[in-house]
Amino acid sequence: MDARTYNAELAELRVLRDGIRKAQAALEKLETDRARKITALAGYEKAKAERIAPAAGLSLADIVAIAPILAPDRLVTAAQPNPVAVPPSSEPAAPPAAAAQAPEPAGETALSSGPGPAQEQALSRAGTVAPAMTRPAPEAAAEPELSAAPSAPPSGSLPALPSVLASVAAGPLAAHTAQRALPGVPEGSEGDRWFAHTANLASTHPNFTQQARSTAFLDTHTGVLVHRDQTFRIDLPTASAAEILNTVFHVLPGGVERIYITAGAPWHRQAAQHPFLKDSVGAWLNAPAPGWRTDTGRGKDRLAGHFVHPRNPVGRYQREQGEQHVEIRSVGEWFDADGVEPVVVRDAFVLLWRALRRFWPDAVLMGSPSQTGRDLWTRTIPTKGQYADGFPVLSEELRGLFHATAGQGRTELITPPRVPARLPALVEYDRTFAYAKHTWKSGVGTPRRVTAATFASWSQKEQTKALFACGHWHVRVTVPAGWTHIGILPAPAPGDRAWHYPAAPGTTFTTWAGGPEIHTALSNPHTPWKVEILDGVVFDDGKPLDDWSKKLREAWSSLTAQAGLNGDPGQRTAAHLAARAVRALLLYGIGAFAQRPRTVTGTTPRSMERDVPPDAEIIGFDDQTITWQRPTGFTRDPNAHPEWAAHIWSSARAALLSQRHREDSTYAGALHAPPGTVVAFRTDAVYLTQPQPWPHHGQPGDYLNKGHLPGPVPAPTTEDELLTLRDRGRAAHHAAPAPERA
């Protein structure tokens, strides 16, 4: 073969690659649609897997894996003698044989971000020694607030916190399939090396002031452009990136550095031509823009290149000739501006900036709430005292462990037969500004490892204190016999970083969880769960986020008050949006601490295909451009603190189940609703079949009744169905008379 033939064969290979990519995308879409249709059919009370399987062209096992409620009764019967197995019909979040996992001793699993579906495997291990938690006598209560109570106390009371007894040996566990394995900490010196900080890397108070950027607000649907106190109307027939840039810079000869799209979503205009929204966005961002090229970054703000996101992308451009840099962003990163005019959106940003300036004289609104929130936090880092040198960053190994084992908000849909096929009602309760409730305490100092043997050697007081501290625990959990309520602790489910919440009695699984959730499992108002400590990471308690959070809460309260009192409808809307933006500052600021491994997105002209990085994955292409992405791992980010994000997320998930209101002497949360009435969770919200008398005083963490759809209504079996019912419930709730809403 000569060079000419070689190059010709390469060209033909690229054509085949492009065809395969398109065919795979089409196949994935068809398979997704098929799974949704199967899930919808499973909601029919007389649906049978035997009839659906041939219609779908799948086996019975495949059908049950997609819709576990269709599992034949014989599988349930066969599972009963084994207390570890999960009855398929009672746990729709995972395939019938996938809801339990054998213990995973430390040191047997290499650190990774978790295997993908092709790497999932059954585990069968035995003989691990771990301290077990059991229910104590009433006098063993560890917290004065938690008084002894019957096994099923009424809402408003909690049983005593169970004591932690001596270690016990775990017996052999049955093997289970399709369970995602979580990493652990290696034994010996290798594991000890993890418990340190990264050298010469710490969060410190900045010694510079952020520079404000000239910003414009554009509705690409109506063509309304707002810049400072000026309003223009421009013509955007195609609303391509090139057309937006050239038209805006023609109207504003001095230019701008940031353009927020308030409505129109121009990156979705060609969505029908692509199998996925992300492909449509990538094509829009990478379309030729004469006179412009992709920005390569500058100064301290080193973000460069386009950010391909299905709904809130970021396009970063630079003049071919000159030093003009500009970003095109979606205002949806900050708040939902649906139906709001660009001038009101501008006013919202002005109100937000003024509210923040009360607490941070040098506050500057950056491109996104995560950037802005974390920048404001750095300006609360003390310059004197214990942490004058900053907050050190964990070792890369521990950051990787938190990344792989600490989930975020709880998202779960509970389908029939665990809830009625027709619901008597659908009531939505959303926790107001929830994360602000859980920032008062975070882990600081050098992390300490607590092995199973160490934990077992401690007194009950020491064990309880450790569980109330900021920590992350590797545990083996068993759902108690006779349990009839929802799951409490997250378990790894099949798929990359997927989680579910086992609730079937007798289910045993191994997972990682924060202290707040473990406390909830032990002291829930029904029956304590069995939790065995396998390993743990514990920190000293500190308040690195408290000052930052308090200032944001005050800004939020001020803007919320303005939204309720201002007589001008436009200013009321602007204040409401500004308050939502403060929420985003805290919410996404906390998410930024998690510091996920970075993925870089790039583009290469088709004529220079050999320049695509060898470790890159091609995610899109057209006749001119190849779009690719590749992982770059963890960067040396001085503000990476996944331990803080993990503790807040754990606290929020626990409060979604049980939260004490001291001033009202009562409890709220899903575990205080009757069994069988919980329909779904969505991060800070819980959906029930009946209203609850939970107090709401407008404070962070309070449960707000946001929707009430009277029944009977069909139980949702997909997320889209849930969101449709949610929107109907909110509309019905707002239309109801005020006393009924209260």
Side-chain angles (χ1 to χ4, degrees), residues 209-361:
T209 301
Q210 290 288 356
Q211 297 300 309
R213 295 194 178 184
S214 177
T215 302
F217 302 89
L218 174 63
D219 183 334
T220 60
H221 180 70
T222 63
V224 174
L225 173 70
V226 175
H227 179 242
R228 296 179 180 171
D229 58 351
Q230 296 178 295
T231 301
F232 309 89
R233 188 173 293 275
I234 60 178
D235 187 25
L236 298 170
T238 65
S240 66
E243 188 175 68
I244 290 172
L245 291 170
N246 293 325
T247 306
V248 168
F249 274 72
H250 176 75
V251 173
L252 302 171
V256 293
E257 295 177 277
R258 185 175 295 131
I259 302 171
Y260 277 119
I261 306 300
T262 65
W267 37 79
H268 291 163
R269 290 199 175 186
Q270 304 298 323
Q273 301 176 15
H274 300 273
F276 302 106
L277 279 181
K278 197 169 184 178
D279 293 337
S280 171
V281 172
W284 187 87
L285 289 171
N286 295 306
W292 299 87
R293 60 182 173 84
T294 303
D295 199 349
T296 55
R298 59 197 166 118
K300 293 185 179 295
D301 184 2
R302 297 187 182 279
L303 290 176
H306 303 317
F307 175 59
V308 183
H309 186 278
R311 302 197 179 276
N312 296 316
V314 181
R316 300 185 178 97
Y317 301 90
Q318 182 178 352
R319 282 281 195 188
E320 290 281 7
Q321 303 296 328
E323 291 299 320
Q324 281 186 316
H325 302 253
V326 61
E327 290 182 327
I328 299 178
R329 311 187 71 112
S330 169
V331 80
E333 294 180 84
W334 293 85
F335 43 67
D336 181 6
D338 186 32
V340 180
E341 297 179 356
V343 67
V344 177
V345 174
R346 176 208 60 194
D347 291 346
F349 275 85
V350 172
L351 289 175
L352 171 63
W353 176 75
R354 289 174 178 169
L356 296 176
R357 282 268 170 157
R358 290 177 50 204
F359 306 102
W360 289 277

